[in-house]
Amino acid sequence: MSRLDEFLRLLCGRFDNTRQLEELRRSSSPALPLAEHVNTVCNDKIDGLPADFAGAFVLEESYYTTEGKTHASPHLFLFTEEGEAVKLTSYQLPKAADGGAVTYETLPPLKWEDLEISEKFTPALYTLHDGVWEGGSVSMFSPVLKFTLYERFSQESLEVAETMEVNGKRTFGYDVPIVYRRAAD
């Protein structure tokens, strides 16, 4: 099994942070949103991939629920092996036919030659340390808007810390990472 296959085995599937929310409630810690991730390899939705294509496109469907309202945030990522590491490159994702958020089921066929790398997102690099993949990146979405991503993936959980800062002041993100665990099917 390749490093990329090992990485994808941990990353792909259905995850949520319900266990973390229960622990935070018991300890009276600050609240986080209910967060869900559905990560699906979607190479089968991309027409014209080269026969020797060694990467995996993953559609990440993220759902965040606060105060009874759910916000969907899908992303298209390409994962490739880079030596001993795995690299995440973000791609532009088209809107669903109805103008809403894309899901794996509603993702229309995409053409390899039409895919565009997201120029604002700095690719993230993940390395394996004692069974845990760790990595992230810092991206400047504009001269004043900074996005920081740090993640840890293991058999037990996916830990995701994301922050947005405008002129050095945090406008999005939490003091603790969101801890996703594989959801029961």
Side-chain angles (χ1 to χ4, degrees):
M1 180 182 298
S2 73
R3 285 190 172 278
L4 182 58
D5 291 334
E6 288 176 37
F7 184 88
L8 292 171
R9 188 176 50 76
L10 294 176
L11 180 68
C12 290
R14 224 173 237 292
F15 303 85
D16 65 43
N17 70 332
T18 54
R19 187 186 304 176
Q20 180 185 31
L21 293 179
E22 291 166 9
E23 291 167 1
L24 290 173
R25 265 184 285 231
R26 282 194 299 269
S27 67
S28 300
S29 295
L32 292 172
L34 170 61
E36 300 172 85
H37 269 333
V38 181
N39 299 323
T40 310
V41 173
C42 60
N43 285 15
D44 61 319
K45 300 268 189 162
I46 301 171
D47 295 331
L49 280 178
D52 60 348
F53 189 73
F57 279 95
V58 172
L59 179 65
E60 176 190 89
E61 301 170 48
S62 298
Y63 303 96
Y64 302 98
T65 303
T66 53
E67 298 176 10
K69 294 182 182 166
T70 300
H71 170 75
S73 180
H75 298 281
L76 181 63
F77 298 126
L78 171 62
F79 291 92
T80 53
E81 286 190 43
E82 299 287 323
E84 296 291 307
V86 171
K87 180 180 177 182
L88 175 160
T89 304
S90 181
Y91 276 73
Q92 299 295 333
L93 184 62
K95 291 261 186 231
D98 64 3
V102 172
T103 66
Y104 178 78
E105 290 76 24
T106 65
L107 183 66
L110 305 172
K111 293 184 179 176
W112 164 246
E113 62 271 9
D114 293 341
L115 293 177
E116 293 180 43
I117 292 175
S118 173
E119 297 298 329
K120 292 180 181 180
F121 182 84
T122 301
L125 206 57
Y126 300 87
T127 55
L128 185 62
H129 304 281
D130 297 324
V132 177
W133 289 92
E134 295 182 78
S137 68
V138 175
S139 303
M140 292 303 295
F141 287 175
S142 77
V144 298
L145 180 58
K146 177 175 152 182
F147 174 71
T148 303
L149 170 68
Y150 178 76
E151 299 177 300
R152 291 173 40 93
F153 304 143
S154 69
Q155 286 284 87
E156 291 76 40
S157 65
L158 310 178
E159 296 178 38
V160 180
E162 299 172 305
T163 59
M164 297 277 260
E165 297 175 23
V166 175
N167 290 321
K169 182 177 176 174
R170 185 169 72 185
T171 58
F172 171 80
Y174 304 98
D175 293 334
V176 297
I178 294 177
V179 179
Y180 297 89
R181 297 193 189 278
R182 197 167 294 277
D185 291 327

